[in-house]
Amino acid sequence: MLTLTNVSKRYGDEQRGTLAVKDLTFEIGDNEIVTVVGPSGCGKTTVLKLMAGLLEPTSGTVAVDGEAVSAPPEQIALVFQDYGNSLYPWMRVGANVEFPLRHRVRDKAARAARVDEALSSVGLAGFADRYPWQLSGGMQQRVAIARGLAYQPRILLMDEPFGALDAQTRADLEDLVLRVRDAFGITIVFVTHDIDESVYLADRVLVMGPRPTFIDAELAVDLPSPRDQIETKDLAEFSRVRGEVYRRIRHSSELMRQAGTAPDAAGH
Ligand code: ADP
Ligand code: MG
């Protein structure tokens, strides 16, 4: 349903620009959770922005159900890694979550219910009247996630959404993502630099190679559902996939070092 066909993306001009993505082709099926890992600066965020229609490919096509994505499509929501800049500081938490729904859910009561439900599901019931700046970083990120969930998109793109959270909150939100997928049947593309997380959440892990990025490995994850933070991680299949992802990333980082394109610290 979501397809990239020979997609390339260059920032800047032909001579001095950066070719971030080169000739990338893959598809993501309905209801699938695909996680994406790869060295910092390889082009993961660029790929998500291309999928979300926020960037236009230099060549190639991104399509949803066979239809080329040009403007940001209705059915896609994106949760950025940089949550500090993704909430409107002048709007209360509830209004932030409600804002993208204003055209989607016309009925006011239904919209309010949707907002309440989303805030409760991330553990923020009762915070609707606060301003983002009155919350901790982790809570702000949960608001951004609630906003994505309330929208009930067909495709949810998440860019390292849990990087700044403590381990327990992170585990809870990982389980929330899995439940939401099961409950609403949405398709999720989830970028992370946490290898355990990439395996725990995924039906499939895409390991990206160094810039211009390509798919270095595509690993099917054969773990039973529903997953459990303790039991799933004790399974031999979990260790097997984690080991494979780890080896691939180490290999990519090695290639980047050799090519003199040190993983870029700022751009992960
Ligand atoms: P990742 O998310 O994997 O860390 P990005 O997609 O953010 O990687 O970046 C891929 C490459 O493109 C990096 O070299 C980065 O510096 C460059 N890049 C990203 N955004 C821009 C931009 N707006 N203008 C120019 N170069 C960019
Ligand atoms: Mg990134």
Side-chain angles (χ1 to χ4, degrees):
M1 60 160 308
L2 177 64
T3 52
L4 277 76
T5 311
N6 303 118
V7 169
S8 299
K9 175 65 194 175
R10 177 186 297 281
Y11 291 107
D13 63 33
E14 194 80 30
Q15 280 79 41
R16 286 174 309 161
T18 303
L19 185 62
V21 175
K22 188 182 172 189
D23 209 19
L24 198 61
T25 298
F26 65 92
E27 29 179 284
I28 293 172
D30 271 321
N31 214 3
E32 206 185 1
I33 300 189
V34 172
T35 57
V36 179
V37 293
S40 281
C42 78
K44 303 180 295 296
T45 296
T46 302
V47 170
L48 279 195
K49 287 182 173 168
L50 288 163
M51 288 177 175
L54 295 173
L55 284 177
E56 214 185 321
T58 307
S59 60
T61 43
V62 178
V64 176
D65 294 336
E67 228 173 274
V69 165
S70 43
E74 266 267 298
Q75 67 263 48
I76 295 184
L78 177 63
V79 176
F80 289 98
Q81 68 191 125
D82 186 8
Y83 53 84
N85 290 326
S86 81
L87 301 176
Y88 300 113
W90 63 89
M91 276 187 198
R92 294 176 196 271
V93 163
N96 263 283
V97 176
E98 188 176 350
F99 189 69
L101 300 177
R102 68 202 182 287
H103 300 304
R104 203 173 163 86
V105 185
R106 296 283 181 179
D107 182 65
K108 243 186 142 186
R111 210 160 59 216
R114 195 75 93 81
V115 171
D116 282 351
E117 189 191 354
L119 284 173
S120 304
S121 71
V122 298
L124 290 176
F127 288 88
D129 290 333
R130 307 286 183 88
Y131 285 97
W133 48 266
Q134 293 175 309
L135 307 181
S136 68
M139 290 163 91
Q140 289 176 34
Q141 181 60 326
R142 284 189 275 157
V143 175
I145 292 162
R147 185 169 58 182
L149 295 178
Y151 192 74
Q152 293 180 11
R154 255 182 77 201
I155 303 169
L156 182 61
L157 307 174
M158 305 181 88
D159 195 0
E160 299 186 16
F162 306 154
L165 305 179
D166 64 272
Q168 187 56 51
T169 305
R170 183 176 192 136
D172 290 347
L173 290 174
E174 287 168 358
D175 290 331
L176 173 70
V177 165
L178 291 170
R179 281 202 308 279
V180 161
R181 189 272 300 264
D182 293 340
F184 300 111
I186 57 182
T187 303
I188 298 175
V189 184
F190 191 107
V191 173
T192 178
H193 56 242
D194 185 295
I195 295 173
D196 279 31
E197 184 169 82
S198 75
V199 179
Y200 183 71
L201 289 177
D203 295 319
R204 203 152 46 108
V205 185
L206 297 182
V207 184
M208 309 304 283
R211 187 177 71 234
T213 202
F214 58 94
I215 297 172
D216 186 36
E218 190 181 324
L219 306 165
V221 181
D222 187 18
L223 288 168
S225 210
R227 295 187 183 172
D228 177 90
Q229 291 284 352
I230 295 164
E231 283 167 22
T232 302
K233 291 176 180 175
D234 275 345
L235 297 172
E237 170 72 356
F238 187 88
S239 316
R240 183 190 71 79
V241 182
R242 184 181 46 194
E244 191 59 26
V245 173
Y246 204 101
R247 267 190 291 280
R248 295 287 183 157
I249 290 180
R250 194 161 56 187
H251 176 69
S252 287
S253 303
E254 200 52 46
L255 289 178
M256 276 176 110
R257 254 191 299 279
Q258 284 167 11
T261 43
D264 90 30
H268 72 78

